[in-house]
Amino acid sequence: MGRKALEPRADREIFVVPLTVQPEHIDDNGHVNNVVYVGWLQEAGTAHWNARFDLATRTRWSWVALRHEVDYLRGIGPEATGVVARTWVGDPDGPRFNRYVRIEDGEGRLCAQGVSEWCLVDARTLRPARIPADMLPKFQRA
């Protein structure tokens, strides 16, 4: 496939999440099913959010997925180990944020990549809210 590999901007933190291939992830073709990758995109984003923000912030705000797009580049088989998701965020746009994820095998080869569009919402009302200016620095390189 001729897709260009996603690369983070220099000022973005790259957050790494280890992924485990489970027997139920494997489809009839002998590799991780495409639906699992969408779950991994969400898992990576949630782990990054939880690692960077305190409980009070996570209680006040929540995220709603608006769109997921995944490019499948190389199959991951049932015996795969060392699989990771590398994730980072784009620029805020009102209440929206794009999150980028690269899924790599234990040899560092790009197997899939994805972009998810998320909307920040008030956790109590579920109404969209502009992303606060103080939120972005938590996702930047130190």
Side-chain angles (χ1 to χ4, degrees), residues 41 64-70 98-99 115-119:
L41 265 60
V64 174
L66 302 175
R67 182 179 71 82
H68 297 292
E69 179 180 320
V70 182
N98 277 348
R99 173 169 291 284
V115 179
S116 296
E117 184 178 17
W118 293 92
C119 180

Side-chain angles (χ1 to χ4, degrees), residues 68-89:
H68 297 292
E69 179 180 320
V70 182
D71 297 324
Y72 305 98
L73 306 169
R74 175 186 308 272
I76 297 176
E79 305 300 321
T81 59
V83 179
V84 297
R86 298 182 191 284
T87 186
W88 64 92
V89 298

Side-chain angles (χ1 to χ4, degrees), residues 7-105:
E7 296 291 340
R9 289 184 4 195
D11 64 338
R12 294 298 188 249
E13 173 192 40
I14 302 166
F15 189 78
V16 180
V17 178
L19 302 171
T20 302
V21 176
Q22 302 290 337
E24 61 271 17
H25 293 165
I26 306 303
D27 63 18
D28 292 340
N29 295 317
H31 55 70
V32 173
N33 187 276
N34 59 348
V35 174
V36 174
Y37 288 91
V38 174
W40 283 348
L41 265 60
Q42 181 164 329
E43 183 179 330
T46 300
H48 195 188
W49 169 250
N50 289 341
R52 295 294 167 260
F53 292 90
D54 61 22
L55 181 60
T57 302
R58 295 190 328 261
T59 301
R60 179 177 180 196
W61 302 110
S62 188
W63 294 93
V64 174
L66 302 175
R67 182 179 71 82
H68 297 292
E69 179 180 320
V70 182
D71 297 324
Y72 305 98
L73 306 169
R74 175 186 308 272
I76 297 176
E79 305 300 321
T81 59
V83 179
V84 297
R86 298 182 191 284
T87 186
W88 64 92
V89 298
D91 291 322
D93 181 15
R96 297 172 186 225
F97 232 153
N98 277 348
R99 173 169 291 284
Y100 302 90
V101 180
R102 290 173 51 112
I103 297 174
E104 300 170 359
D105 65 15

